[in-house]
């Protein structure tokens, strides 16, 4: 009887010992997450036509027109000194001026900046000191002005490029 | 065994038998003795087999067996410009290319997940998708504390897709994290 009890006890112990040993198992996996340098900028669309239709008697400067109907958004994780530059594909003739003004939360807006002659290679800064992060739906303002002495201008299209850069 | 006594105990009535007995009572030659001995041994063995028995105990035992494996050893995830929407600070990337496979014959089991990375730069979330057995725990942020990944997977073999979601903000800048992720089946 004593032997039987011993055998039973051993069996029970062996059962639980075995369960502890094999009830748990693990598997490993290496997972790497990398974040690359990111420069993203997007413009909401095209502004309405800027048409000068009025002037002031006795003043060569016609009444300028503005458009604030578009906006831009940026996301960058590169640094805290990034900037946005603006350029135009074809310069405007003398006597016509196109200015752009970008509002900014993450950077410093330079206000109204003349881009009439800032073609490729001579892009001008419009926002500077942009910190890492995102700025969404910031207004793009255009002001088009002309002098009476410059004469009429037929409908003309220009492509303005905004660039987020170091 | 005394053969002569054996035969003498039987009643004998005919002369023919008496003659036979007389022959038998004659000294037995060696050949006859052997035949008698073999026959007797067979009778005794047969008698013993009918009345003897024995037994022994056969023990069978199925241990708790648990196996688990990820079918892909390494997963690489990169947040690049294509994953980012301009104007959104939060950037993310999702990977669902690997599967977790398991088998267990124990009841009341669950799977946990843990990373060895004590301090990560970016957020990594993990979730079990479409488990063939058990219930997926809610998506969790990986930490170095084990967190439930699958529940109620007892006595089954199964698999699920491992969904990783890497999340970074633009404000965090550039960098990388290398996780050694461990999935463990254990008692629930």
């Amino acid at each position: 009887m004593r032997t039987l009890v011993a055998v039973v006890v051993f069996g029970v112990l062996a059962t639980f010992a075995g369960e502890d040993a094999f009830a748990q198992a693990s598997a490993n996996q290496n997972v790497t997450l990398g974040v690359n340098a990111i420069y993203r900028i997007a413009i909401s669309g095209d502004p309405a036509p800027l048409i000068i239709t009025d002037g002031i008697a006795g003043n060569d400067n016609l009444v300028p027109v503005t458009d604030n109907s578009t906006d831009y958004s940026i996301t960058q994780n590169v640094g805290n000194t990034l900037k946005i530059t603006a350029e135009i594909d074809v310069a405007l003739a003398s006597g016509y001026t196109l200015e752009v003004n970008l509002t900014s939360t993450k950077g410093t807006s330079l206000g109204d900046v003349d881009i009439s002659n800032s073609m490729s290679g001579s892009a001008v800064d419009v926002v500077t000191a942009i910190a890492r992060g995102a700025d969404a739906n910031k207004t793009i303002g255009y002001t088009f002005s002309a002098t009476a002495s410059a004469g009429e201008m037929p409908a003309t299209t220009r492509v303005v490029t905004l660039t987020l850069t170091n | 065994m005394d053969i002569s006594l054996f035969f003498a105990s039987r009643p004998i009535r005919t002369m023919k038998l008496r003659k036979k007995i007389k022959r038998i009572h004659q000294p037995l030659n060696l050949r006859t003795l052997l035949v008698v001995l073999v026959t007797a041994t067979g009778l005794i063995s047969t008698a013993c087999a009918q009345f003897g028995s024995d037994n022994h105990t056969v023990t069978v035992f199925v241990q708790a067996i648990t196996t688990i494996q990820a079918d892909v050893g390494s997963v690489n995830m990169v947040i690049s410009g294509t994953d980012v929407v301009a104007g959104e600070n939060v950037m993310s990337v999702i990977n669902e290319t690997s599967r977790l496979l398991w088998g267990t014959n124990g009841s009341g089991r669950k799977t946990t997940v843990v990373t060895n990375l004590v301090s990560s730069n970016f957020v990594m979330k993990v979730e079990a998708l479409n488990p063939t057995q058990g219930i997926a725990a809610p998506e969790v942020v990986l930490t170095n504390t084990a967190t439930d990944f699958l529940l109620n997977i007892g006595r089954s073999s199964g698999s699920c897709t491992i969904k990783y979601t890497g999340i970074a903000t633009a404000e965090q800048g550039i960098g990388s994290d290398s996780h050694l992720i461990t999935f463990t089946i254990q008692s629930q």
Side-chain angles (χ1 to χ4, degrees), chain A residues 32-70:
Chain A
T32 303
L33 172 63
V35 180
N36 291 345
I38 292 166
Y39 303 82
R40 297 289 286 181
I41 183 167
I43 297 172
S44 62
D46 297 331
L50 296 155
I51 304 172
I52 294 175
T53 59
D54 201 5
I56 300 171
N59 192 333
D60 191 43
N61 295 321
L62 303 177
V63 176
V65 292
T66 61
D67 180 275
N68 296 313
S69 64
T70 60

Side-chain angles (χ1 to χ4, degrees), chain B residues 45-95:
Chain B
S45 299
T46 303
C48 289
Q50 288 173 347
F51 297 107
S53 65
D54 198 358
N55 60 54
H56 64 182
T57 302
V58 177
T59 302
V60 293
F61 180 41
V62 179
Q63 287 189 322
I65 297 171
T66 305
T67 60
I68 187 168
Q69 181 185 358
D71 69 343
V72 175
S74 295
V75 173
N76 294 313
M77 304 166 67
V78 177
I79 295 177
S80 61
T82 55
D83 305 306
V84 177
V85 176
E88 292 186 6
N89 190 38
V90 178
M91 310 176 294
S92 65
V93 60
I94 293 175
N95 182 290

